[in-house]
Structure formats: structure tokens, C-alpha cells
Amino acid sequence: MITILAGGTGSVKLVRGAASQSRGINVIANVGDNYWLYGLYVCPDIDTILYGLADLLDTDTGWGIKKDTYGFLRQMEMLGEETWFKIGDRDAAIHLMRTNMLKNGKNLTDITAWMCQKFAIDTKIIPVTDNTVETRIVTNKGELHLQEFWVKHKGQNDVEGIKYIGADKARANPAAVNAIHDSQLVIIAPGNPLTSIGPILSIKGIKKELSKSKRKVVVVSPLVGNKAISGPAAKYMEAAGMEVSPYGIAKMYSDVASHIVIDTSDRLLTRKIQNLDMKVYETKIKMKDKSEEEALAAFILKQVHA
Ligand code: FO1
């Protein structure tokens, strides 16, 4: 059994690669990006994994459903609503069903399992918690929800810090804790360390189980050199006072992971990372197409052993 900790657009490629190599994959999904909009509960990271595995993901944007239409959004605009968050028509159906099921007393875990069944996905997508955890970006202009900072304001404000509101009270999903415990290998996907994986680690029960399982946990660097493969990871890492490099990544995860995969071009850092008591693997980590997703997943499954 293999478990992958995953956020959004950076993580889905590895999840897809792993699912092509092995059955019985569990994905523990971030919920910190979840956002209420027009009375609908949007779970971007769960949906990105869902659409990615169902081969429905819009791979140009990295989110949403490919070839979706935007009639619903145009109508909201006509009604005077803000439309900076682009919800497509088919995507909206997912949020609507989820919201109705929540209103009828179902929890996010059961709803997500039902969605996986509807999309005929045999990978298990497990929300890290059924409680609310909200990632907020502290900026020079005040605190913003991650979606407002990144999508509405286009990540323009200076970042002073990141908060995971509700994490201290959130109960780790027992299915997530069991998945970590029962897996031979746990992979931390190359997602944003502070806004995709950080909220997962901010939940005590998850961090504790990972620390206990450290010998079988491998992290895949989301950086090559001092640049994020995609998204604003470098900006957030700087604000958190971290070194923006695969070494900074290794340091952040060194209490929950004992293996790290870095890009071959970063091999000069291997020695320094080994001093953190981590085993280092060098390979090509950028995944530009399906064959590269499969190649990286196959490399990890073959090379990394507890
Ligand atoms: N990202 C954008 O940059 N612009 C959007 O309008 C946008 C809409 C959107 C709708 C549904 C969804 O599931 C994701 C969406 N995203 C959009 C992606 C999202 O903001 C983030 O990339 C993730 O939360 C990060 O993992």
C-alpha cells in the first residue's frame, strides 16, 4: 500500500504517475484551500486530484475540467456577483452536489469517496480532516484567504506569514492516520510546502503518525535550484524565513521524512542534505507529460525502500 500527501496542481502529476504504476494508492488531500463561493463549497485540491485521475483535468490551467463552459459564471456576473474565481459549468455541478450532501449531514470523507466511485477511480482520496482548516496569507495589507490572495489579488501583496486557522482543533481523519500507518511507502508530493503540504502537517495527529513512520516517508522536492517548478512556493518560503532551495525543503521535512528526491541539477546539495540524516536520490523531477509522470513515480517506487 502506498500513501501520497498531496495538494493541488503540483501534486496531481505525481499522483497520476503513481496510479499508473500501482493499484491501491491512497491520497491524503489538503483542505486548507477550500472556499465558500455563492453558497457552494469548493475543494480545489480534492477536485484537482479527482479530475486528474479521471482524465478530466484541464492540464493547461492545472485546475478545473477541460473544455468546461462558463454559462453559470456569466449569469452570476449579470446578477452583479464578482467572478474572479472561474467556476466552470461542469465543475459547479460537483460543488453543488458536495454542498447538498454536506447539508444533508454527510461528511467530506464520505462525499469524496462517493465522488471517487462516480468517477470510477480506484485510488482512495482522503481529506486530511473533516473539520475546517483555512490557509490564510498574512500580507502587508492584512490577512487574506489563500484564494483571495492568489486568485483575486494575483499574489501581488507582500507576504509576511501564513496561518492555518482551525488546525489546532482539527481532528486528523482516522482513515488518513491508518493509511500512513499501514503503507509501505509514504510520498510527500512536490506540492507547495507551505500552502499544499503545510496545512496537512499542521494537524497534530498527522504529524505525529508521520514522525513515527519517518523511515518510510520520502519527499519529492517542489523546487529545482531556487525556483519552484510551479506557483508561488518560493515567495511563501522566503516569508517563512526558509532557505529557498532543495536543502530548505529537506530541512523543513527532516522530522517527518528520511528520504528526499531532488533534481539531478541540484546534486551539489546532496552532501549537505545527507547531513540532515536523509537519504538523497537524484533524478529528473520536472514532469512535463504523462510519460515523465510515470517515469518519476516508477523511479520512486523502485528506488526508495524503508
Ligand atoms: N486558480 C486560478 O488561478 N484562477 C481561478 O479562477 C481558479 C478557479 C478555480 C476553480 C476551481 C478549482 O478547483 C480551482 C481553481 N483554481 C483557480 C485553482 C486554485 O486556486 C489553486 O490553484 C489551488 O487552490 C492550489 O492548490
Side-chain angles (χ1 to χ4, degrees):
M1 196 161 119
I2 294 163
T3 293
I4 307 178
L5 270 55
T9 53
S11 304
V12 65
K13 296 176 179 187
L14 189 65
V15 169
R16 226 167 19 194
S20 75
Q21 301 293 307
S22 167
R23 290 178 70 89
I25 305 255
N26 299 292
V27 175
I28 300 178
N30 176 37
V31 298
D33 301 19
N34 295 1
Y35 193 60
W36 283 96
L37 188 66
Y38 317 132
L40 301 176
Y41 195 48
V42 185
C43 300
D45 287 359
I46 291 175
D47 292 346
T48 298
I49 304 291
L50 198 65
Y51 301 158
L53 289 169
D55 211 12
L56 283 174
L57 187 69
D58 181 337
T59 47
D60 292 334
T61 55
W63 47 266
I65 294 182
K66 61 184 164 193
K67 298 197 174 108
D68 211 344
T69 51
Y70 289 88
F72 165 75
L73 204 69
R74 294 287 77 80
Q75 193 61 42
M76 293 309 280
E77 189 174 31
M78 179 265 176
L79 294 171
E81 291 294 314
E82 289 188 48
T83 53
W84 51 267
F85 199 69
K86 306 281 178 252
I87 295 199
D89 295 334
R90 291 179 68 188
D91 195 27
I94 304 300
H95 313 318
L96 187 61
M97 278 307 281
R98 177 188 292 126
T99 310
N100 276 336
M101 290 170 90
L102 281 172
K103 284 190 178 148
N104 289 331
K106 291 253 187 301
N107 62 32
L108 193 58
T109 303
D110 293 342
I111 298 168
T112 307
W114 180 85
M115 296 273 182
C116 287
Q117 214 182 342
K118 284 284 171 199
F119 282 96
I121 290 166
D122 72 358
T123 297
K124 206 166 160 186
I125 305 177
I126 308 167
V128 64
T129 178
D130 280 322
N131 304 130
T132 301
V133 175
E134 187 179 302
T135 304
R136 295 200 141 247
I137 311 296
V138 186
T139 77
N140 55 338
K141 303 239 166 74
E143 258 180 56
L144 295 169
H145 186 288
L146 173 81
Q147 302 300 352
E148 288 162 5
F149 169 76
W150 182 239
V151 183
K152 185 174 184 181
H153 297 288
K154 304 188 181 351
Q156 277 163 354
N157 299 330
D158 290 342
V159 178
E160 293 172 354
I162 290 164
K163 290 184 181 172
Y164 310 118
I165 307 291
D168 51 338
K169 293 195 191 70
R171 178 172 179 256
N173 192 331
V177 175
N178 290 340
I180 295 170
H181 183 269
D182 295 343
S183 288
Q184 285 88 44
L185 182 66
V186 178
I187 305 172
I188 301 180
N192 189 310
L194 290 161
T195 55
S196 292
I197 310 296
I200 298 179
L201 299 183
S202 72
I203 297 172
K204 275 197 259 5
I206 298 290
K207 178 124 191 218
K208 194 168 151 209
E209 193 57 45
L210 277 176
S211 309
K212 281 201 280 179
S213 307
K214 187 178 153 172
R215 64 183 172 77
K216 59 182 185 186
V217 182
V218 55
V219 53
V220 182
S221 175
L223 304 182
V224 175
N226 58 4
K227 288 206 171 58
I229 295 172
S230 66
K235 188 166 180 165
Y236 297 150
M237 286 175 77
E238 254 166 43
M242 294 166 64
E243 179 180 311
V244 184
S245 75
Y247 175 76
I249 294 290
K251 209 166 161 204
M252 169 183 164
Y253 290 118
S254 60
D255 49 353
V256 293
S258 60
H259 309 257
I260 184 166
V261 181
I262 64 170
D263 195 73
T264 316
S265 60
D266 286 322
R267 61 185 169 275
L268 290 178
L269 292 171
T270 295
R271 242 331 139 63
K272 197 173 163 197
I273 298 175
Q274 282 166 340
N275 288 336
L276 294 168
D277 212 12
M278 287 177 104
K279 189 156 181 199
V280 183
Y281 305 81
E282 297 154 5
T283 190
K284 189 171 175 299
I285 61 170
K286 282 190 187 165
M287 295 168 278
K288 287 192 295 299
D289 55 34
K290 277 197 177 161
S291 71
E292 293 185 350
E293 295 170 1
E294 288 170 18
L296 182 57
F299 175 87
I300 297 168
L301 301 192
K302 192 160 168 234
Q303 300 291 327
V304 184
H305 301 287

